[in-house]
Amino acid sequence: MTDSTRRQLAFCALMALPFAASCEGAGGLKVLENPPGVAIIDPADGSEFSEGESIPFVGRIDSSFTGGDIEVSWSSDIDGEFEDPDPPDPEGYVEFVTASLSTGTHIMTLRAVDANAEQGEDYITITVGGDGPSLSITHPSAGEQGIEDQAFELGARVSDAQDAPEEIEVDVFVDVSDPLCSLAVDTAGNGSCSVVLGIGMYELTFVATDSDGNEVSASTTLTVVDPDDRDLDGDGYSINDGDCDDNSRTTYPGAEELCDNVDNNCNDQIDEGAENIYYLDADFDGWGVSTEYVEGCTAPAGYAADLGDCDDSDPLVNPDATEVCDDGTDNNCNTLFNEQNATGCSAYYVDADADTFGTGASQCWCSGGSAPYTATNNTDCYDSNPAARPDQTNYYTYDRGDSSYDYNCNGASEQQYSSLANSCAWDVVYIDCDLSGSQGFEGSVPSCGSTAQWISDCSATYDPVCYGLCLFSSDPINCLLTTCGATCDADYTSLTQGCR
């Protein structure tokens, strides 16, 4: 049976206990009071708390005594009785809160005493634990080595919720025996001590202990080596491994030889196979020619590392130079002249039909442009037909290639012929058949490219002898029409409408 079950059964028994009665004298009846019933409800038995944590305690008192108040007390077997507890409320509940319990395992007791000195109590066991200090090793760091028979500093940083850093004891152990050394800790929590060790690998355990006896530990490994076995520069080689300069990470056996006047690969040769080639640079523009060169780690005056100058007498001519329009020089040594975007270039547009009128976006070229960018404007309306151009004055009876007849790029199709012809009539003065107005199409003006009848003149048809006789008539025209059967007819020509 658990303590909790025991307390519950005890409390229930106390609540149900009947009054005890006895006879006193001849006719008196004396009622005996029961001791107060007591139960701790919270916290549960066996609960654990952190040091400094606020702990609420709740209990309940049940008493049949009616002759006076109930005295209540809370106590710890470690910290003693607590002062001024609250009395039970009307329902018998009592509460107590504390955050000052010492670390350790406490037997907490709730006791109730009535006016007849009858008492009841209940108890629980709780544990209050202190947090240990924090500890981190600062020295040695990962991969760090010690030197045989030379002092090596061990270091750590500590802190604690209750103790000042300098009050924390920090010891370093190699095994379970006496500490190797004890760290002197300053007010900032930094501690150190020095040790001298022989060659070997050591498993170091740092142990920090605060004033409550709480401990924490951390471990690391330190390797102590012969001075000439230590790799000072971290390149993987020590002096005993053949490193000829243990203070340079670029110098060790098998390293790449650099052109730096140093024996990088420790083979007793300097700069072998690492020298650079420098070319003659007579114009000092940073670019040389292949006719003359030297080898070395640095360029002598008048020599350059880069090859490719195409005119070593002109410092403005080299692969880094800017091309200049129309100066007759390959300024940037790429075998091309007057390249796009050269200094002095102008805007040129695509002229696919070579009519000197272009379209689209421009590119910057030297004089004359570069095909197809040869036009100095972008006003062409149809760049697939050279006849279609803004200055076109001719008319065409066929479309320009896209069903349009706008050959002069004005946005419209202008007709070459727009007049309509008048009728034929007899001339009473000259006794002849003439066109009564201007030449033109018969009926209506045809559209661009369409063919229609064009009346250019009128002609009379008659018998010449009859015509001569009618000239002596008082009405020659009527004579020709009625006597000679003359007619006055239009002269037709088939004509196709031109546009631009």
Side-chain angles (χ1 to χ4, degrees):
M1 179 182 299
T2 65
D3 287 343
S4 177
T5 303
R6 176 187 59 75
R7 287 197 305 275
Q8 292 176 6
L9 292 175
F11 182 76
C12 291
L14 287 171
M15 298 304 100
L17 191 66
F19 290 119
S22 65
C23 292
E24 182 179 299
L29 180 64
K30 182 178 180 181
V31 178
L32 300 179
E33 299 284 352
N34 291 320
V38 179
I40 298 176
I41 299 173
D42 195 48
D45 187 44
S47 296
E48 297 182 358
F49 302 92
S50 299
E51 183 179 7
E53 182 179 353
S54 181
I55 307 173
F57 292 87
V58 180
R60 190 175 184 189
I61 310 297
D62 186 88
S63 176
S64 60
F65 181 74
T66 59
D69 294 334
I70 300 293
E71 293 183 3
V72 177
S73 64
W74 293 88
S75 64
S76 161
D77 66 327
I78 296 177
D79 294 333
E81 186 171 330
F82 300 96
E83 298 180 356
D84 301 324
D86 293 331
D89 65 14
E91 295 182 357
Y93 288 99
V94 291
E95 295 184 359
F96 167 67
V97 179
T98 181
S100 59
L101 291 180
S102 301
T103 58
T105 299
H106 295 253
I107 298 176
M108 299 296 298
T109 301
L110 172 61
R111 180 177 293 109
V113 181
D114 63 19
N116 285 334
E118 296 287 345
Q119 73 175 25
E121 64 182 33
D122 192 16
Y123 66 89
I124 60 171
T125 300
I126 65 171
T127 301
V128 177
D131 294 327
S134 65
L135 168 67
S136 61
I137 299 173
T138 58
H139 205 226
S141 56
E144 190 173 10
Q145 295 178 329
I147 302 299
E148 178 188 16
D149 297 330
Q150 292 185 16
F152 187 89
E153 183 178 274
L154 305 178
R157 183 175 179 84
V158 293
S159 63
D160 189 74
Q162 289 79 37
D163 294 343
E166 62 272 19
E167 297 175 352
I168 301 172
E169 180 181 339
V170 183
D171 298 314
V172 183
F173 296 86
V174 174
D175 50 37
V176 296
S177 62
D178 294 335
L180 183 65
C181 67
S182 296
L183 275 64
V185 181
D186 61 22
T187 57
N190 297 306
S192 64
C193 63
S194 294
V195 295
V196 176
L197 299 170
I199 296 174
M201 179 178 292
Y202 298 86
E203 182 72 24
L204 303 177
T205 300
F206 291 65
V207 179
T209 307
D210 65 13
S211 60
D212 291 331
N214 297 309
E215 289 186 354
V216 66
S217 63
S219 299
T220 189
T221 300
L222 173 65
T223 301
V224 179
V225 298
D226 181 281
D228 289 340
D229 282 331
R230 189 180 185 189
D231 179 16
L232 297 176
D233 55 15
D235 60 8
Y237 291 85
S238 65
I239 293 177
N240 285 341
D241 292 329
D243 197 333
C244 51
D245 184 354
D246 206 28
N247 292 309
S248 172
R249 291 179 62 88
T250 61
T251 301
Y252 55 86
E256 179 185 359
E257 191 69 19
L258 306 176
C259 199
D260 56 2
N261 201 33
V262 173
D263 178 16
N264 305 95
N265 57 12
C266 299
N267 66 349
D268 297 326
Q269 299 181 51
I270 295 177
D271 298 340
E272 76 280 4
E275 292 181 320
N276 302 314
I277 298 177
Y278 298 97
Y279 302 92
L280 178 64
D281 180 16
D283 57 10
F284 294 92
D285 61 2
W287 292 86
V289 293
S290 60
T291 55
E292 182 180 333
Y293 65 89
V294 296
E295 295 184 0
C297 291
T298 57
Y303 287 82
D306 294 315
L307 179 66
D309 202 334
C310 54
D311 185 350
D312 206 29
S313 64
D314 187 347
L316 299 179
V317 176
N318 58 68
D320 279 338
T322 301
E323 194 72 11
V324 178
C325 280
D326 306 319
D327 66 349
T329 301
D330 176 17
N331 307 92
N332 57 10
C333 298
N334 66 350
T335 70
L336 302 175
F337 294 82
N338 295 338
E339 299 167 67
Q340 183 182 358
N341 299 320
T343 300
C345 65
S346 301
Y348 283 87
Y349 302 86
V350 172
D351 182 14
D353 57 11
D355 61 359
T356 72
F357 294 91
T359 59
S362 67
Q363 288 186 359
C364 200
W365 289 94
C366 298
S367 58
S370 177
Y373 290 85
T374 57
T376 58
N377 63 80
N378 63 344
T379 58
D380 203 335
C381 57
Y382 186 65
D383 204 32
S384 296
N385 188 338
R389 48 192 290 163
D391 63 352
Q392 184 59 262
T393 59
N394 295 326
Y395 293 90
Y396 295 85
T397 59
Y398 49 88
D399 70 76
R400 63 189 188 182
D402 61 349
S403 300
S404 173
Y405 284 81
D406 180 17
Y407 277 88
N408 60 4
C409 299
N410 69 349
S413 297
E414 302 173 18
Q415 293 179 326
Q416 184 176 7
Y417 308 104
S418 60
S419 60
L420 292 175
N422 292 331
S423 62
C424 295
W426 288 97
D427 186 341
V428 296
V429 176
Y430 296 99
I431 316 301
D432 196 5
C433 178
D434 291 318
L435 189 61
S436 61
S438 61
Q439 299 180 2
F441 288 105
E442 182 180 41
S444 62
V445 178
S447 61
C448 298
S450 296
T451 301
Q453 295 298 313
W454 176 267
I455 299 176
S456 58
D457 202 355
C458 293
S459 299
T461 303
Y462 48 81
D463 177 41
V465 175
C466 186
Y467 175 80
L469 293 175
C470 285
L471 290 178
F472 297 99
S473 170
S474 59
D475 187 355
I477 299 301
N478 182 58
C479 176
L480 285 173
L481 292 175
T482 59
T483 304
C484 301
T487 60
C488 182
D489 300 310
D491 295 335
Y492 289 101
T493 301
S494 182
L495 184 64
T496 301
Q497 179 71 279
C499 292
R500 67 181 182 191

